[in-house]
Amino acid sequence: MKALIIVVFILPFMGYAQKNKDNFTITGKIDTLAHSKYYVGYERNGERIIDSIKLDAKKEFKYSGYATEPTRFSLEVKNIYDPNKVGNFYVYRFWVEPGDNIDFNGGRFDLEGTPYEIINGSKTNNLANVYTGKLWEFWEKDADNYRQQADIYRKQFIEENKDSYLSLSLLYDMIRHNSEEEDYVNNKVKELAPELRQTYLYKDIQNKLRFKVGKKLPDYTLFDTEDKEQSLYPFKGKVILVDFWASWCGPCRKLHPHLREMYDLYHSKGFEIISISLDTDKERWLKAIEQDKMTWKNLSDLEGVKKGIGKEFAITGVPQSFLIDEKGTILLKVSGLDEKTLSAKLKELLP
């Protein structure tokens, strides 16, 4: 049976750093060609650390890194497999913690999920294995009702493991690309163990909750395509889509034809779009605007994802949008290629 890939989104445990045991080491062997190269990725205080390893003649490697709290560690290759994914392709992913000395054995590459074995795994990784094992059971017994069962179990798991970083990660995952569970996360994250509230991930959750539905979108000064300063406020129109994207983002570019359709359909009724690029290259930004026929307002600070407005507005991936009213109140949050949700909301607001 082909493997189901279950991804638990995470970010990096500042509390661990206080123990001065925040170096980790992974010693491993991978069933592939000798001297193969893999990219390494993990989080440290919200920053994505990118590195690489090269296997020796025995297909072995040793890697040492620095983490401040538990983080999902990945071994990656160049992405030639998934056109909808930005960045490298994950071959192996597992949890590491400061102080870990892990023995890793990677199985032969499989697009549907590559097997691996961890010896001396972290407490968080062991608990994650229990969690994902339970999800597997749901999938194998009743795939049609998997999502409902998984959602119920996730909340049960969080309730029973309030001292676990994995619970904090699951709460983050619930609001990373979805606004439906914001109230639940806002209440539940306050019940977690005190040491978890000292982590970067806890602070990141609090930052994202600043942009809950019903909150007011803050003002920000950017530049238009002619390098003129433009503030978000005051907004023109009854309903405004503040859309974050980038020229290098495939899903963003696929969404633009749908945005054009909605713009043409609802613009006369008071619908406006402000597209904010998270590019760093102005030439590529301008070229993409022309190619995608983005005739509405286009702004950017050309600071990328991790700086400027991307950081200030807690944008963790694109495409991501806020649908707001003329006062700046957030009415809807949309992530990914979800034009149906946006279209339905516009139909409701602008009949």
Side-chain angles (χ1 to χ4, degrees):
M1 188 181 103
K2 292 294 184 182
L4 168 69
I5 301 177
I6 302 169
V7 179
V8 180
F9 289 98
I10 55 86
L11 277 176
F13 196 177
M14 290 182 181
Y16 278 76
Q18 305 304 317
K19 299 179 181 180
N20 297 318
K21 294 182 179 179
D22 28 22
N23 287 328
F24 65 87
T25 300
I26 302 170
T27 305
K29 184 173 184 177
I30 298 177
D31 184 7
T32 188
L33 297 175
H35 308 295
S36 292
K37 179 180 178 179
Y38 288 84
Y39 295 96
V40 166
Y42 59 98
E43 302 280 343
R44 183 195 301 149
N45 290 346
E47 295 295 327
R48 184 70 175 167
I49 307 301
I50 302 296
D51 206 342
S52 64
I53 61 168
K54 187 174 182 180
L55 306 185
D56 62 18
K58 296 181 179 180
K59 308 176 186 179
E60 297 176 344
F61 72 92
K62 185 173 184 179
Y63 181 84
S64 294
Y66 175 82
T68 53
E69 57 195 75
T71 179
R72 197 80 174 272
F73 183 92
S74 60
L75 291 171
E76 313 164 4
V77 295
K78 287 287 187 181
N79 181 25
I80 58 173
Y81 310 104
D82 185 357
N84 291 320
K85 184 182 185 304
V86 177
N88 293 329
F89 187 87
Y90 297 136
V91 182
Y92 310 99
R93 297 191 79 194
F94 51 92
W95 287 84
V96 299
E97 295 181 13
D100 277 355
N101 287 288
I102 292 174
D103 291 321
F104 173 83
N105 186 19
R108 186 172 293 275
F109 177 72
D110 185 339
L111 271 176
E112 298 297 329
T114 305
Y116 64 86
E117 180 184 13
I118 295 287
I119 302 174
N120 300 325
S122 69
K123 180 180 179 181
T124 305
N125 192 69
N126 294 339
L127 194 57
N129 288 339
V130 173
Y131 177 79
T132 54
K134 191 67 175 180
L135 296 183
W136 267 106
E137 290 181 20
F138 294 144
W139 177 261
E140 291 177 337
K141 290 180 180 179
D142 189 1
D144 291 338
N145 294 309
Y146 167 77
R147 178 55 57 195
Q148 180 182 2
Q149 291 177 315
D151 288 345
I152 292 173
Y153 176 64
R154 175 170 52 187
K155 291 184 178 180
Q156 176 187 334
F157 180 92
I158 293 170
E159 190 67 31
E160 295 174 352
N161 295 275
K162 293 182 180 179
D163 61 344
S164 171
Y165 191 91
L166 183 60
S167 294
L168 188 67
S169 173
L170 293 174
L171 288 171
Y172 175 79
D173 186 24
M174 293 173 77
I175 58 170
R176 189 169 188 261
H177 294 303
N178 197 320
S179 60
E180 294 179 0
E181 296 284 6
E182 286 178 336
D183 288 336
Y184 170 82
V185 172
N186 187 44
N187 293 324
K188 190 57 61 176
V189 74
K190 299 171 185 175
E191 300 177 11
L192 298 183
E195 58 269 22
L196 292 173
R197 299 176 209 163
Q198 304 303 314
T199 64
Y200 178 88
L201 184 53
Y202 177 86
K203 295 175 182 178
D204 196 50
I205 289 174
Q206 294 300 320
N207 191 34
K208 290 190 74 66
L209 288 172
R210 292 170 49 224
F211 298 89
K212 285 175 54 182
V213 170
K215 295 279 190 179
K216 196 170 183 178
L217 200 71
D219 197 6
Y220 203 89
T221 300
L222 298 156
F223 294 92
D224 63 16
T225 56
E226 297 179 351
D227 294 326
K228 295 179 182 178
E229 284 193 353
Q230 298 274 354
S231 294
L232 293 180
Y233 285 78
F235 293 107
K236 296 179 180 179
K238 295 179 181 179
V239 180
I240 305 95
L241 183 73
V242 180
D243 171 50
F244 288 85
W245 71 290
S247 65
W248 42 260
C249 169
C252 301
R253 307 292 294 274
K254 289 182 179 179
L255 184 61
H256 287 159
H258 301 289
L259 293 186
R260 287 202 306 270
E261 291 177 9
M262 285 182 265
Y263 187 70
D264 292 342
L265 183 61
Y266 292 104
H267 179 59
S268 63
K269 297 182 179 182
F271 177 54
E272 298 287 348
I273 299 177
I274 302 174
S275 283
I276 300 175
S277 169
L278 299 183
D279 279 283
T280 56
D281 187 310
K282 184 178 180 180
E283 185 176 341
R284 290 184 179 181
W285 171 43
L286 296 179
K287 184 177 181 180
I289 291 173
E290 182 180 2
Q291 290 176 334
D292 294 0
K293 300 182 174 71
M294 301 167 67
T295 57
W296 47 83
K297 181 183 287 189
N298 287 275
L299 303 174
S300 182
D301 57 11
L302 297 177
E303 292 282 350
V305 179
K306 292 293 186 180
K307 298 179 181 179
I309 195 170
K311 181 179 181 180
E312 181 64 26
F313 280 48
I315 304 299
T316 53
V318 286
Q320 184 170 334
S321 303
F322 300 93
L323 191 68
I324 61 175
D325 64 16
E326 67 274 14
K327 295 180 180 179
T329 302
I330 300 172
L331 307 173
L332 177 73
K333 291 163 64 176
V334 183
S335 296
L337 289 168
D338 190 8
E339 69 276 7
K340 291 182 179 179
T341 298
L342 177 59
S343 180
K345 191 66 175 179
L346 287 175
K347 187 175 181 179
E348 171 193 331
L349 296 171
L350 300 170

